[in-house]
Amino acid sequence: MKPKRIIISGGGTGGHIYPAIAIASAIQEIVPRCEFLFVGAEGKMEMEKVPKAGFKIVGLPIVGINRQHMMKNVLFPFKLFKSLTKALAILKEFKPDMAVGVGGYASGPMLLAAWIKGIPYVIQEQNSFAGITNKFLASKAQRIFVAYPNMEKFFPKEKIQYLGNPVRKDLIDQAGKKEKAMVHFGLQPKKPCILIIGGSQGARTINLAIQAGLETLSNSQVQIIWQTGIPFEKEAQASAQSQTDLHAYVSAFIYEMDLAYAAADLVISRAGALSVSEICLVGKASILVPLPSAAEDHQTQNAQSLVSEGAAILVKDVEAKNSLVHEAITCLQNKELLAQIEKQSKSMAKPSAAHDIATNILALLTLHEK
């Protein structure tokens, strides 16, 4: 029997790319002979990250819709048409048995091409508020894998499977890593630690709020692991070094996220779907600061899904500079509250999401053989 061929399309951010890689890796673990081709957007981070994970990728000239400046979308229809034409050519050459869309720029034209060619496809929606592309493509999908309950308002109920967001495997086992983590980041083993993360580009609001509160953190005997993003790294390092009594690890990007989570007593983060899923998986208390400019304000929706279950604290972006550090210290000092949030956070985790999605995709492939 010839190996199954699967196209996985999407990207633009780590929140789309890493779930896609996790799904492909999980399928490969079950059926090693499966062949994969990733389809991303030219110039976006998936064109670098996917090959590093060991998979082949091709790019489409697609771009996102600029919601702030609508006049900049003049070329969008032409790029969409060009991307659809290239997607059809990719399908003709690769001849996939199934397509998987994970959201992001490239997902739309690729799944639309699959529908035109009669190739079955599935969608994985990471957010609690579905994007325009996935809503449009949902009616023809075989299955829609979601990470949050109550997604019937966006998708046909009979197609939804609530399986969670696939996350990197090294995060699942946190046992016994705390001591190693403290040594790795040069921190004190008995002092409370806050992990501050804002994505690969950093989160300016969060960065400025932490910078303004460094003296307060130092006086409160709180230490930090601060992932700043490239633009703010040098400024953050200089600010942290000016606080002589502050124990801080400051870096543009953290590769050892399993250790960073292991070290943390509290996480401060944006509310991207992948970050929220990772925080739940490791069972950490968190303060979420949703990015207000995110499409359809989906980060606020993601955060609210945890807050409503007592699994996180929400601080609005506009309030962060004045209240974020104070909220964090108050939370760390209330051990009972911290433990309760941790418990609720862990209860919302879906640790087998990648495997469960992979199993369902393979079952659909078998069904289409008959």
Side-chain angles (χ1 to χ4, degrees), residues 128-162:
S128 60
F129 193 98
I132 295 170
T133 303
N134 281 351
K135 284 190 283 186
F136 174 73
L137 293 163
S139 64
K140 302 297 181 183
Q142 300 287 305
R143 292 283 188 281
I144 302 159
F145 305 115
V146 301
Y148 294 91
N150 307 314
M151 296 296 282
E152 299 84 11
K153 56 193 169 188
F154 305 114
F155 302 127
K157 186 176 181 179
E158 68 277 7
K159 297 191 176 195
I160 294 173
Q161 287 190 277
Y162 172 37

Side-chain angles (χ1 to χ4, degrees), residues 98-321:
M98 175 78 70
V100 180
V102 297
Y105 304 142
S107 189
M110 198 67 241
L111 294 191
L112 187 57
W115 174 62
I116 291 169
K117 300 294 284 185
I119 294 164
Y121 66 83
V122 299
I123 291 169
Q124 199 264 321
E125 172 60 65
Q126 297 93 26
N127 292 293
S128 60
F129 193 98
I132 295 170
T133 303
N134 281 351
K135 284 190 283 186
F136 174 73
L137 293 163
S139 64
K140 302 297 181 183
Q142 300 287 305
R143 292 283 188 281
I144 302 159
F145 305 115
V146 301
Y148 294 91
N150 307 314
M151 296 296 282
E152 299 84 11
K153 56 193 169 188
F154 305 114
F155 302 127
K157 186 176 181 179
E158 68 277 7
K159 297 191 176 195
I160 294 173
Q161 287 190 277
Y162 172 37
L163 300 178
N165 273 328
V167 298
R168 55 194 105 184
K169 285 183 68 177
D170 61 349
L171 298 183
I172 293 172
D173 184 15
Q174 289 278 296
K177 286 187 177 180
K178 178 137 189 170
E179 187 178 338
K180 179 183 176 182
M182 291 309 211
V183 172
H184 177 82
F185 294 110
L187 301 175
Q188 299 295 305
K190 294 185 178 179
K191 287 185 178 180
C193 176
I194 300 174
L195 169 62
I196 302 132
I197 47 179
S200 57
Q201 296 304 307
R204 183 162 179 79
T205 300
I206 294 176
N207 283 340
L208 291 174
I210 297 302
Q211 184 182 42
L214 286 175
E215 186 176 353
T216 304
L217 289 165
S218 180
N219 292 339
S220 302
Q221 297 295 297
V222 173
Q223 49 194 353
I224 60 172
I225 299 171
W226 188 3
Q227 186 254 304
T228 64
I230 294 168
F232 203 75
E233 182 182 28
K234 286 186 170 53
E235 188 174 339
Q237 286 175 340
S239 297
Q241 286 166 7
S242 71
Q243 300 293 326
T244 54
D245 294 329
L246 176 69
H247 288 94
Y249 176 90
V250 183
S251 180
F253 194 78
I254 298 172
Y255 291 95
E256 306 84 0
M257 281 304 297
D258 58 326
L259 296 182
Y261 281 121
D265 297 288
L266 178 69
V267 179
I268 293 174
S269 175
R270 287 298 196 193
L274 188 62
S275 296
V276 168
S277 295
E278 288 183 354
I279 289 165
C280 290
L281 184 69
V282 297
K284 295 295 179 178
S286 64
I287 298 176
L288 302 175
V289 186
L291 176 68
S293 61
E296 287 97 22
D297 199 22
H298 70 259
Q299 287 205 8
T300 297
Q301 305 286 336
N302 292 346
Q304 288 288 4
S305 68
L306 267 66
V307 172
S308 63
E309 299 294 328
I313 294 167
L314 189 151
V315 170
K316 292 181 180 178
D317 190 85
V318 294
E319 298 169 357
K321 191 166 184 180

